Amino acid sequence: MYSQKMLDQAASDKEIHSFMAADYVMRDTMGILQHHDAVTGTAKQAVANDYNRRLYEAMDFNNKHYNKLV
C-alpha cells in the first residue's frame, strides 16, 4: 500500500482517504477485467458492456483524484 510519505505532506486525511478509495476502485475493477471471459473476449455482449462500464467508471473516478496529484 501507499504510505503518506509518498503523498503531498500538505494533503489532508480526507484527501488521502479519497486517493486510497480511488486506488481500491481501480484495483478491484482490474481484478474483474482479468476474468478469462474478459481477457479472451468470449463474454456475451451484455457482460462485455458491463466490463466496459466498470472500466469507464473506475477511470472517471480515478481521474478526478489523480488530477489533483499531477
Side-chain angles (χ1 to χ4, degrees):
M1 277 307 206
Y2 298 98
S3 70
Q4 289 184 357
K5 293 179 182 179
M6 295 176 69
L7 300 173
D8 183 358
Q9 294 298 313
S12 69
D13 286 343
K14 184 177 180 180
E15 290 172 319
I16 293 169
H17 179 72
S18 294
F19 173 74
M20 298 301 284
D23 184 63
Y24 175 80
V25 167
M26 184 57 80
R27 288 175 186 263
D28 186 52
T29 300
M30 293 306 298
I32 292 168
L33 293 177
Q34 291 178 26
H35 185 270
H36 66 90
D37 284 341
V39 173
T40 62
T42 58
K44 293 186 178 195
Q45 188 61 51
V47 176
N49 292 344
D50 184 58
Y51 289 148
N52 189 36
R53 178 191 57 80
R54 287 175 183 266
L55 181 59
Y56 174 80
E57 289 175 358
M59 288 173 59
D60 186 50
F61 186 70
N62 268 270
N63 285 340
K64 291 174 185 171
H65 296 283
Y66 279 93
N67 283 338
K68 295 177 186 176
L69 299 173
V70 177

